Amino acid sequence: AAGVIQSPRHLIKEKRETATLKCYPIPRHDTVYWYQQGPGQDPQFLISFYEKMQSDKGSIPDRFSAQQFSDYHSELNMSSLELGDSALYFCASSLGPLQTQYFGPGTRLLVL
Amino acid sequence: AQTVTQSQPEMSVQEAETVTLSCTYDTSESDYYLFWYKQPPSRQMILVIRQEAYKQQNATENRFSVNFQKAAKSFSLKISDSQLGDAAMYFCAYRSPPAQGGSEKLVFGKGTKLTVNP
C-alpha cells in the first residue's frame, strides 16, 4: 500500500539558512499534519491542513510557515534556522480530520 | 489541556513472553481516541492499535491488545508472544474529536523503550 512520502529524508543546513520540507500524503488523503520530534523527545504537533486550509495550529515558531497545495501535498518552510531546530520532522496524513493519522518516514534536519 | 503519561521509561521482555506497557491520560472530554504507535530504530512512526472511547470492547490487532479502562483513564498495551522485531519505542497518544471543538492533533506520552531479549 502507498505510504506518506517525505522529501528530503536528510537535510543539513547552516544557522540562519532556509529549509523547505515536502510531504506527499497517501492517495485520497486530504488532511496533512506536521510534527517535530527533538532528540529523545516525543513528537510535538506543529500545524495541520484540511482541504488546503489550515485547520489547527500548535507550537509552531513564527519563523516557520506551511501550506497545502491543490494536489494535497504540503510544504513546511523554515527560515532563519537555529541550532534548536535540529530534529526529525514528521508529516502524517488522514482521510479527513476524524480519521487515523499515518506517518511518513520523517525528514531529519541538522542545523550546524 | 490533555496530558498523556507513560510511567515506564524502559521495559524488557523475553522473546515469546508477554509484556504490558502502561499509559494514563487526563481529559475532561467524554469522547476521544487513543492510539499506540511504535517507533523502531529506523524512527518511522507505525500505528499499532487504535481505540475509540465510546467503544467498551478492547481493541485487538493480532498479538497486540489493549486494556482500556475509561473511568480510570488508563490505556495499557499488551504484547503477546513477543518477537525481536517488537523492540522499539512505544508511544501512547490521545486525540480529541474535532467535531467537539477539540484539536486534531495527537498528544503523545514520553514513550516507553521496549527491549526484547532472545
Side-chain angles (χ1 to χ4, degrees):
Chain A
V4 178
I5 297 172
Q6 291 188 247
S7 68
R9 295 291 307 278
H10 303 272
L11 192 57
I12 300 176
K13 291 287 185 178
E14 299 280 340
K15 280 195 313 183
R16 293 179 290 277
E17 286 191 323
T18 297
T20 297
L21 280 54
K22 297 184 179 182
C23 169
Y24 298 87
I26 293 170
R28 297 193 303 117
H29 282 198
D30 53 12
T31 309
V32 169
Y33 313 80
W34 287 96
Y35 291 85
Q36 177 192 59
Q37 186 180 27
Q41 302 295 314
D42 54 296
Q44 296 292 316
F45 173 74
L46 292 177
I47 196 167
S48 62
F49 294 89
Y50 169 57
E51 283 290 346
K52 293 154 278 184
M53 299 287 289
Q54 180 182 310
S55 54
D56 200 3
K57 191 173 181 179
S59 50
I60 183 169
D62 292 339
R63 300 177 289 108
F64 294 7
S65 65
Q67 58 182 324
Q68 186 180 31
F69 295 86
S70 57
D71 64 350
Y72 297 111
H73 94 272
S74 178
E75 295 183 3
L76 177 65
N77 298 293
M78 310 160 69
S79 63
S80 302
L81 287 169
E82 302 174 355
L83 297 178
D85 295 329
S86 295
L88 185 59
Y89 290 83
F90 284 110
C91 171
S93 75
S94 66
L95 186 59
L98 299 177
Q99 302 304 314
T100 298
Q101 297 176 27
Y102 294 93
F103 283 73
T107 293
R108 195 171 303 226
L109 172 66
L110 178 60
V111 181
L112 301 176
Chain B
Q2 294 82 16
T3 58
V4 177
T5 301
Q6 293 179 250
S7 59
Q8 306 153 316
E10 296 187 22
M11 291 282 285
S12 64
V13 63
Q14 292 295 127
E15 197 175 3
E17 298 292 309
T18 296
V19 65
T20 298
L21 308 184
S22 300
C23 173
T24 58
Y25 56 93
D26 184 27
T27 184
S28 59
E29 296 172 325
S30 59
D31 193 16
Y32 46 86
Y33 303 89
L34 296 164
F35 304 84
W36 279 97
Y37 281 89
K38 166 186 176 181
Q39 188 174 43
S42 67
R43 302 199 72 187
Q44 169 86 46
M45 290 290 284
I46 302 167
L47 176 68
V48 176
I49 202 164
R50 157 187 165 134
Q51 175 81 43
E52 291 89 346
Y54 66 87
K55 290 186 177 179
Q56 293 187 348
Q57 186 174 5
N58 289 324
T60 298
E61 288 288 343
N62 301 314
R63 298 182 295 107
F64 298 87
S65 61
V66 299
N67 183 5
F68 173 48
Q69 300 290 327
K70 191 172 183 178
K73 297 180 183 176
S74 170
F75 182 61
S76 60
L77 175 70
K78 185 172 82 171
I79 306 174
S80 304
D81 186 25
S82 296
Q83 301 175 0
L84 295 178
D86 295 334
M89 182 72 83
Y90 285 82
F91 289 98
C92 178
Y94 172 101
R95 181 184 186 184
S96 57
Q100 294 184 7
S103 170
E104 301 166 18
K105 68 179 181 183
L106 289 171
V107 177
F108 290 88
K110 296 300 182 187
T112 296
K113 183 179 180 181
L114 178 66
T115 301
V116 181
N117 301 309

